[in-house]
Amino acid sequence: MNLGDPNSLSSVASVTTERPGRYGKQLVSHMSRRWGGDWSADTESGWIQLGETGRAEITAETDTLVMQVFAPDAETITRLEGAVGRHLVRFGAKDELTVAWTRDDDIPGTQQRWDDPEPEHDREHRPGGPSVS
């Protein structure tokens, strides 16, 4: 996917945290295992390839982690917001992180919170399969 393509959509989330660099590096390292990605300690920024058509760009600022996802359609943007956001709030559970996405047309996207129940899809894809209640 060409990120400069006027037909691609994007969504951005800025998460306030005392550890933006740590969470950015962890997010890129974990999520890039399947499709690729890279984190630069020098610039405190990185990218993650998300499937064949999606991508995330991650930047650590002073007290903020900025995450932007790109995809060809609204359905994929929604899925990528959820995937990236859920991973971040899981990593930052002790900091009680919340991720609120805003789409490039200023329409609110999805939201992930540290205390949200884990989606069924995530439980099914963990080692050992679905959890038993």
Side-chain angles (χ1 to χ4, degrees), residues 76-89:
T76 306
I77 282 284
T78 298
R79 187 171 43 78
L80 297 182
E81 288 172 348
V84 173
R86 281 190 309 275
H87 278 87
L88 179 64
V89 298

Side-chain angles (χ1 to χ4, degrees), residues 14-92:
S14 297
V15 180
T16 302
T17 175
E18 293 177 4
R19 299 180 260 256
R22 176 181 178 263
Y23 288 134
K25 179 180 179 181
Q26 186 177 14
L27 191 63
V28 170
S29 175
H30 177 77
M31 294 193 76
S32 67
R33 290 179 184 159
R34 183 165 184 188
W35 290 92
D38 189 43
W39 178 258
S40 168
D42 293 336
T43 62
E44 289 206 300
S45 64
W47 61 272
I48 308 162
Q49 184 65 37
L50 300 166
E52 293 181 18
T53 61
R55 181 179 171 102
E57 294 183 357
I58 313 295
T59 304
E61 297 180 352
T62 303
D63 290 322
T64 307
L65 184 64
V66 179
M67 305 178 297
Q68 187 167 15
V69 293
F70 300 88
D73 56 65
E75 181 180 332
T76 306
I77 282 284
T78 298
R79 187 171 43 78
L80 297 182
E81 288 172 348
V84 173
R86 281 190 309 275
H87 278 87
L88 179 64
V89 298
R90 222 178 300 147
F91 295 149

Side-chain angles (χ1 to χ4, degrees), residues 110-133:
T110 62
Q111 184 176 26
Q112 297 78 39
R113 294 177 39 87
W114 64 277
D115 59 351
D116 284 342
E118 186 176 29
E120 189 72 28
H121 177 268
D122 285 352
R123 286 195 301 271
E124 292 173 359
H125 288 88
R126 284 205 172 157
S131 63
V132 177
S133 300

